[in-house]
Amino acid sequence: MRKKVYWIEGDGIGPEIWRSARPVIDAALAKESDMTLEWVELLAGEKALAETGSPLPESTLSALMRADIAMKGPLGTPVGAGIRSLNVALRQGLDLYACIRPVRYFQGIESPVKHPERVNMVIFRENTEDVYAGIEYAAGSPECRMLREFLCDKLGVSKIPATAALGLKPMTEAGSKRLVRRALRFALDNGLPSLTLVHKGNIMKFTEGAFRQWGYDVASAEFGDASCTEQDPLPGRLLVKDRIADAMFQEALLRPEQYHVLATPNLNGDYISDALAAQVGGLGLAPGVNMSDSLAFFEATHGTAPTIAGRDKANPGSVILCGALMLEHLGAPAAAKRIRAALEKALAAKTVTVDLADQIPGAITVGCAAFGGIIGENL
C-alpha cells in the first residue's frame, strides 16, 4: 500500500531537520509494515516566496484542501509587522480546528522539575478562534477609532483610552463543542481517566466561561453514558472537570499525574502546551498535529531557530516524533513504537544535539545529521 504525504520543508532549520527525520520515518515503517510513503513537496514560507513571489501559494492551499495527510517544518512568523502568521493562515484556511500535542517525559533528560515522569498529557487546543482570529487594530488607526467610538457610544463601554490598540476575541459554540467532542472521543478511545476544560471563565465569562459550559454540555448530551463530573463522580466513567487557566499551571507543576487530556481555547492551549513541554525537557522533543475533519497536518512545535540555521546544530527530534504520530494515525503503531524506542536509546547513550546535551549530564554533543543517523541505526 502506498500513501501520499504532502510535506513543507519549513524555514530556518527546516531543511536540515527534514533531511535527518525523513529517513528515520521511512525506515521505521519499512521494518513494520508493507505500507510505503510517497512524499510530495509543497512550497510555503521563504522558499515559496523566492520561487513564486508568495509565502503561501494558491497551489499549496489547493493541494492541502484535497489532502488527508501532510507534514511540515517550522515556518517563520514576523513579530509586530509584516505578513500575518503563515501557521495561523494555514490553520484557518484549512479549518484545522484541533491542535493536538501529546507531552510525555523521555528518560535521561534533565528537567527543571523534580518528577517530570509524572507528566503524561495530551492537549487539545482550539485552533481557529479566540484572539488568534487576528481581528485587531493598531492604536490611532481609523479602524481602531471607529471601533472605540462604537463600543463607547453605542454599547456604553467606558475606560478605553483613545491611545489604546483594540482586538476582538470571537469564540463560538460550534467551534468549542467540536474541539471538546474530539478530545472526549480521544480520551474514551484510549481509556484515559479524565478530561479537563482549561479556561479563564471567572474573568471572561461570555467567551471562556461559555467554552467551559459548552464543554460540559457536549459531554452530557453526547457522552453522558460514559462520562461524569466531579460533582457526581461514577466509577469506571471518564471524569470531566474544569480548571481556571492560572490554577491549571500550578496543578501541572504540583499534581500532573491527575491530568490526562486537556481541552482548551486557543491562547490557553498555546501557553500550557509549551509550559508542559518545558517540564519534560523542552520543545525539541514535542510533536504535534493540527486536524480538521478531513486533514491531519503534523508539524514541529518549535520555531525556525534562525541563529543556528544551516549550522548542523538543530534537533530533529520533534519532526521525528511527529512522524511517529503520523504512523500511528496511518495504522502503523508498531513503527511509531519503534521510533520512540530508538530515540530513547539515543538519549540513554548520551550522544545528542546541543539543546539536549545541555540537559543531560555527561552528554556528548553531535550535529543534527549525526543525531538523526544514530536514531536511524537504533531502529
Side-chain angles (χ1 to χ4, degrees):
M1 179 174 60
R2 192 168 180 81
K3 187 66 183 176
K4 182 180 289 187
V5 180
Y6 291 98
W7 66 284
I8 293 171
E9 186 174 67
D11 300 327
I13 60 174
E16 54 204 290
I17 61 177
W18 265 112
R19 286 193 296 270
S20 294
R22 235 177 78 176
V24 174
I25 298 167
D26 285 331
L29 185 61
K31 290 180 180 296
E32 297 289 352
S33 172
D34 59 0
M35 182 190 307
T36 59
L37 302 178
E38 177 189 354
W39 298 90
V40 180
E41 185 177 9
L42 299 175
L43 297 179
E46 295 171 1
K47 192 173 183 179
L49 188 62
E51 295 189 22
T52 71
S54 170
L56 187 57
E58 186 59 39
S59 58
T60 293
L61 274 177
S62 179
L64 289 171
M65 286 177 181
R66 301 189 303 270
D68 57 354
I69 299 290
M71 289 188 70
K72 77 174 188 67
L75 291 171
T77 300
V79 176
I83 60 173
R84 291 279 186 186
S85 165
L86 287 177
N87 295 312
V88 172
L90 285 166
R91 292 166 192 168
Q92 293 179 345
L94 299 168
D95 198 28
L96 300 168
Y97 64 85
C99 176
I100 306 168
R101 292 185 176 181
V103 181
R104 53 158 287 192
Y105 177 65
F106 286 93
Q107 191 67 37
I109 299 290
E110 195 168 274
S111 164
V113 299
K114 290 182 179 179
H115 294 287
E117 73 282 355
R118 295 178 183 173
V119 177
N120 191 358
M121 302 184 211
V122 182
I123 300 96
F124 280 71
R125 166 191 170 194
E126 201 291 319
N127 218 15
T128 61
E129 300 185 337
D130 201 350
V131 292
Y132 285 73
I135 307 171
E136 61 174 352
Y137 303 99
S141 68
E143 297 85 358
C144 191
R145 287 196 296 270
M146 288 174 61
L147 180 56
R148 178 180 177 275
E149 289 170 5
F150 176 80
L151 292 170
C152 295
D153 297 344
K154 301 295 184 183
L155 297 182
V157 177
S158 60
K159 298 182 180 179
I160 300 180
T163 55
L166 294 175
L168 298 178
K169 180 185 175 78
M171 293 176 64
T172 68
E173 180 177 2
S176 298
K177 281 187 172 180
R178 67 178 179 175
L179 182 280
V180 177
R181 181 180 297 115
R182 190 159 208 151
L184 286 162
R185 285 176 179 157
F186 175 87
L188 289 168
D189 288 347
N190 288 275
L192 298 173
S194 73
L195 179 145
T196 306
L197 303 163
V198 182
H199 61 92
K200 194 64 178 169
N202 58 325
I203 303 299
M204 291 169 277
K205 301 181 186 301
F206 305 120
T207 50
E208 302 216 6
F211 175 88
R212 171 190 177 274
Q213 187 58 53
W214 291 327
Y216 278 123
D217 288 347
V218 75
S220 175
E222 300 179 27
F223 302 88
D225 60 346
S227 67
C228 63
T229 66
E230 287 181 304
Q231 289 69 42
D232 188 21
L234 294 170
R237 293 197 179 190
L238 173 68
L239 178 64
V240 180
K241 53 190 176 180
D242 74 276
R243 296 291 182 268
I244 294 171
D246 46 322
M248 185 63 229
F249 275 83
Q250 178 173 255
E251 289 290 285
L253 289 167
L254 298 178
R255 288 172 282 274
E257 68 280 359
Q258 296 182 13
Y259 298 89
H260 308 91
V261 178
L262 307 183
T264 80
N266 207 332
L267 185 60
N268 292 338
D270 198 0
Y271 291 154
I272 194 70
S273 58
D274 280 17
L276 286 169
Q279 285 183 224
V280 298
L283 290 175
L285 297 178
V289 56
N290 295 302
M291 301 189 76
S292 69
D293 287 331
S294 58
L295 172 63
F297 202 160
F298 299 84
E299 68 170 27
T301 58
H302 55 69
T304 60
T307 58
I308 62 169
R311 299 172 62 188
D312 194 36
K313 289 186 174 183
N315 178 1
S318 180
V319 174
I320 290 172
L321 290 172
C322 282
L325 280 183
M326 181 182 70
L327 295 179
E328 282 180 332
H329 181 78
L330 290 173
K337 185 177 180 180
R338 187 179 283 269
I339 286 176
R340 294 187 184 108
L343 175 60
E344 288 181 326
K345 186 175 180 181
L347 296 175
K350 298 186 177 185
T351 305
V352 294
T353 50
V354 63
D355 62 313
L356 298 175
D358 289 342
Q359 302 171 77
I360 301 175
I364 298 170
T365 300
V366 296
C368 177
F371 188 52
I374 290 169
I375 297 171
E377 291 169 5
N378 289 345
L379 292 172

